[in-house]
């Protein structure tokens, strides 16, 4: 290693493998893909910082939904999903990440710190899940039932287990009750002007790089054939999959209690579940609003086989590919990623304050 000292910076000649950290190009590639992760209302409420050694994940409280998500639970779940997407993507690029979650109680905005080491082992199913990142999207339309469901459900159980999250199916005998819960939630919010304003903002007025676009929303006719879902402002009339009433399977991700750490864990498990479904050619639609407020969350909890705190409900099914469907928009990487290193060729300038 060659070191040259100037008045204000230390210039170090390193390669990413020598330093034990990926270079900025690798980090940018990984985070560009990772930020395809799902988030509530497509708010993308995360912020990444790289200090030359560690990659830090922060929640972006400016993108929290104060009405629909007053505690920041859905925000933290969204950040957990992008965290898992990032770890999978880094592994596919040859880097294993150690994640220290909620590392500082005095800095609640800091959700995780990632440290790196080179990874040379086989990727197994990781590569397939990384390829699924660009294919996955939230499908709010009616679905046909999933193929080979017992095998799929067993795989989802195993993927969520390391995150201390359980996956339980809600049986068909309870679907009508969940539809009633959905209708009750819609009725509670219909006359809530603040909630409706917030919903319209993220559906119609947020911008071209975030929010829920028209193509991702359902018309009234389509929503009527789904039953269990979140009601967004309806787009112009459409009747896609007109011959299909929803026959998706319903699963719930739940934890032992409510805490920011468990919300992040839920997001990581959600990432694994959704990518596994996509890898298997299945459609999915995560729902967090039915587990947000006590009136509806209590009903969902009563349908679980054991005492637990429901965090996310997911519809999983089969759907024909939508040819020509545009990807849901994402913010520019420069809006969500900042670093304290300056890279020029094989040279990095590292500020001594870091």
């Amino acid at each position: 290693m060659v070191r040259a000292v100037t008045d204000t910076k230390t210039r170090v000649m390193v390669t990413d493998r020598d330093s034990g950290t990926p270079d900025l190009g690798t980090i940018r590639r990984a985070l560009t893909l990772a930020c395809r992760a799902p988030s509530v209302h497509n708010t993308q409420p995360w912020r990444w910082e790289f200090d030359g050694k560690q990659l830090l994940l922060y929640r972006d409280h400016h993108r929290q939904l104060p009405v629909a998500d007053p505690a920041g639970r859905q925000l933290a779940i969204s950040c957990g999903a992008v965290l898992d997407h990032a770890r999978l993507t880094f592994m596919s690029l040859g880097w294993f990440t150690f994640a220290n979650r909620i590392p500082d109680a005095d800095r609640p905005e800091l959700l995780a710190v990632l440290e790196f080491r080179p990874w040379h082992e086989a990727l197994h199913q990781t590569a397939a899940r990384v390829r699924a990142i660009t294919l996955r999207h939230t499908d709010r339309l009616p679905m046909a039932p999933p193929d080979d469901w017992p095998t799929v459900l067993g795989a989802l159980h195993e993927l969520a287990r390391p995150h201390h999250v359980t996956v339980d199916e809600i049986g068909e005998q309870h679907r009508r009750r969940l539809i009633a819960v959905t209708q009750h939630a819609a009725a509670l919010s219909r006359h809530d002007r603040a909630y409706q304003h917030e919903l319209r903002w993220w559906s119609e007025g947020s911008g071209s790089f975030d929010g829920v676009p028209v193509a991702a929303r359902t018309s009234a006719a389509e929503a009527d054939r789904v039953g269990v879902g979140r009601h967004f402002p309806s787009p112009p009339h459409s009747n896609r999959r007109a011959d299909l009433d929803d026959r998706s399977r319903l699963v719930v991700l739940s934890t032992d209690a409510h805490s920011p750490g468990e919300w992040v864990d839920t997001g990581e498990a959600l990432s694994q579940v959704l990518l596994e479904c996509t890898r298997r050619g299945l459609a999915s639609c995560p729902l967090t609003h039915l587990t947000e407020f006590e009136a509806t969350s209590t009903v969902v909890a009563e349908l679980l086989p054991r005492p637990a705190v429901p965090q996310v409900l997911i519809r999983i099914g089969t759907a024909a590919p939508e040819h020509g469907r545009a990807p849901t928009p994402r913010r520019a990487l420069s809006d969500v990623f900042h670093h304290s290193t300056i890279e020029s060729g094989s040279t990095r300038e590292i500020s001594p304050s870091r």
Side-chain angles (χ1 to χ4, degrees), residues 250-301:
L250 300 168
V251 301
V252 176
L253 306 187
S254 57
T255 56
D256 290 336
H258 267 313
S259 72
E262 285 165 306
W263 300 339
V264 172
D265 289 344
T266 298
E268 292 182 85
L270 176 65
S271 165
Q272 290 280 324
V273 166
L274 298 182
L275 293 179
E276 178 65 12
C277 288
T278 302
R279 184 186 76 81
R280 291 173 177 268
L282 298 174
S284 60
C285 179
L287 301 165
T288 51
H289 69 300
L290 296 180
T291 54
E292 181 59 39
F293 299 105
E294 185 176 0
T296 52
S297 181
T298 299
V299 176
V300 177

Side-chain angles (χ1 to χ4, degrees), residues 148-311:
D148 196 17
W149 178 241
T151 301
V152 173
L153 186 59
L156 303 186
H157 277 293
E158 294 306 311
L159 287 168
R161 191 190 308 275
H163 302 286
H164 312 289
V165 173
T166 57
V167 178
D168 292 297
E169 181 179 7
I170 302 298
E172 279 299 303
Q173 70 273 23
H174 299 305
R175 182 180 290 268
R176 287 187 177 277
R177 192 171 181 192
L178 278 179
I179 291 174
V181 170
T182 299
Q183 294 170 342
H184 180 60
L188 289 175
S189 63
R190 186 172 297 120
H191 302 294
D192 185 330
R193 294 177 63 183
Y195 179 92
Q196 292 299 325
H197 174 77
E198 186 176 79
L199 192 66
R200 283 194 301 272
W201 169 254
W202 288 103
S203 302
E204 300 171 344
S206 56
S208 58
F209 300 104
D210 52 16
V212 183
V214 170
R217 307 198 309 260
T218 56
S219 68
E222 293 161 345
D224 284 345
R225 290 184 285 107
V226 172
V228 181
R230 190 194 289 260
H231 290 268
F232 289 93
S234 295
H237 178 72
S238 64
N239 200 19
R240 293 163 290 182
R241 302 178 195 165
D243 58 345
L244 183 63
D245 288 326
D246 189 56
R247 297 180 61 200
S248 63
R249 299 287 187 147
L250 300 168
V251 301
V252 176
L253 306 187
S254 57
T255 56
D256 290 336
H258 267 313
S259 72
E262 285 165 306
W263 300 339
V264 172
D265 289 344
T266 298
E268 292 182 85
L270 176 65
S271 165
Q272 290 280 324
V273 166
L274 298 182
L275 293 179
E276 178 65 12
C277 288
T278 302
R279 184 186 76 81
R280 291 173 177 268
L282 298 174
S284 60
C285 179
L287 301 165
T288 51
H289 69 300
L290 296 180
T291 54
E292 181 59 39
F293 299 105
E294 185 176 0
T296 52
S297 181
T298 299
V299 176
V300 177
E302 290 173 355
L303 304 179
L304 299 177
R306 68 188 67 81
V309 177
Q311 300 287 358

Side-chain angles (χ1 to χ4, degrees), residues 52-64:
K53 182 180 178 181
Q54 299 175 322
L55 184 63
L56 291 77
L57 172 62
Y58 293 88
R59 64 175 187 168
D60 186 345
H61 64 87
H62 296 294
R63 289 182 162 261
Q64 183 174 339

Side-chain angles (χ1 to χ4, degrees), residues 20-59:
T21 57
D23 60 26
L24 278 174
T26 299
I27 291 175
R28 290 190 182 105
R29 285 175 61 197
L31 293 185
T32 297
L33 189 56
C35 288
R36 296 297 312 169
S39 59
V40 57
H41 292 8
N42 193 29
T43 50
Q44 305 162 61
W46 45 70
R47 180 167 55 87
W48 294 94
E49 289 187 6
F50 181 56
D51 66 3
K53 182 180 178 181
Q54 299 175 322
L55 184 63
L56 291 77
L57 172 62
Y58 293 88
R59 64 175 187 168

